[in-house]
Amino acid sequence: MPKIQNAKLLKYVKLFTSTFYLSAFTFGGGFVIVPLMKKKFVDELKWLEEDEMLNIAAIAQSSPGSVAVNAAIFVGYRIAGVGGAAVTILGTILPPFIIISIISAFYSAFRSNHIVSAVLKGMQSGIAAVIADVVTSMGGKIIKQKKWVSTISMFAAFIATWYFNINVVFIILACGLVGAVTALQDLKHTMERGEE
């Protein structure tokens, strides 16, 4: 029994330190932390499958609230239940809370500092590279699986956002509807095959 409790405690500690580290050194919001979570929890620790992480990313982005916190909740819950979700939430929200508290104390000094402005502008290119990496790795996986509905939805969502400036809320709702219809059709085909 103590070995099981120690293993669970070590898993909680690893979840907390991983999400704390990712959150502390991630600039650019939730779209940047999702690929880093994939690298940590799928590639490095092997606690999740790539398909699971892809689903978590989709749910996190379509749920209300911060994408980073939503993804942390789903990852933590999937790995270690309710306790894991609580630990990953804490690990994700503490770094921004600490950083914003420090910045607010020295706001006037940071606001006019040219070096800080230059560093933040330089980070923008790094953020763009990480987001491009997410699109190519996760989007490439969808294309390789030859799931044509998902592939067409992905390109349609991009075109709707980039060229037509359609509100993201409508795109998420439309993609959710397409996903629901596709899932129902897959379920229907599975049930029909089961009856044969």
Side-chain angles (χ1 to χ4, degrees):
M1 194 73 169
K3 275 188 175 181
I4 294 170
Q5 288 178 338
N6 285 343
K8 200 170 191 179
L9 182 64
L10 286 173
K11 189 172 267 192
Y12 286 154
V13 169
K14 189 67 174 173
L15 277 170
F16 177 81
T17 55
S18 297
T19 52
F20 188 92
Y21 175 81
L22 291 173
S23 183
F25 296 103
T26 301
F27 296 90
F31 295 109
V32 178
I33 202 168
V34 168
L36 297 177
M37 282 182 165
K38 179 208 170 269
K39 285 179 183 167
K40 185 69 175 177
F41 297 114
V42 175
D43 302 335
E44 187 181 318
L45 297 173
K46 306 214 182 300
W47 284 351
L48 295 171
E49 296 293 323
E50 193 166 340
D51 286 343
E52 287 178 296
M53 193 64 219
L54 191 62
N55 291 337
I56 287 171
I59 295 168
Q61 290 173 23
S62 59
S63 301
S66 164
V67 174
V69 175
N70 290 345
I73 291 168
F74 292 123
V75 166
Y77 184 77
R78 176 63 186 88
I79 293 170
V82 175
V87 166
T88 54
I89 290 169
L90 198 59
T92 304
I93 63 171
L94 272 178
F97 178 74
I98 294 166
I99 292 167
I100 289 171
S101 298
I102 293 168
I103 289 174
S104 66
F106 302 102
Y107 178 71
S108 58
F110 281 122
R111 184 179 59 186
S112 58
N113 190 314
H114 297 294
I115 295 170
V116 172
S117 296
V119 167
L120 291 174
K121 283 190 179 184
M123 287 177 166
Q124 288 176 349
S125 59
I127 291 165
V130 171
I131 291 173
D133 179 50
V134 172
V135 170
T136 55
S137 65
M138 291 185 158
K141 178 144 176 83
I142 291 172
I143 292 169
K144 285 178 188 173
Q145 290 176 344
K146 295 183 180 175
K147 294 183 176 178
W148 299 115
V149 174
S150 298
T151 304
I152 292 167
S153 297
M154 182 174 64
F155 285 112
F158 172 77
I159 291 167
T161 304
W162 186 261
Y163 292 107
F164 299 108
N165 293 324
I166 295 174
N167 191 317
V168 177
V169 173
F170 298 120
I171 293 170
I172 290 171
L173 290 173
C175 289
L177 182 65
V178 169
V181 169
T182 305
L184 288 173
Q185 286 179 336
D186 290 346
L187 182 64
K188 181 180 173 186
H189 292 308
T190 304
M191 290 174 74
E192 286 172 356
R193 274 188 240 130
E195 289 173 0
E196 288 174 359

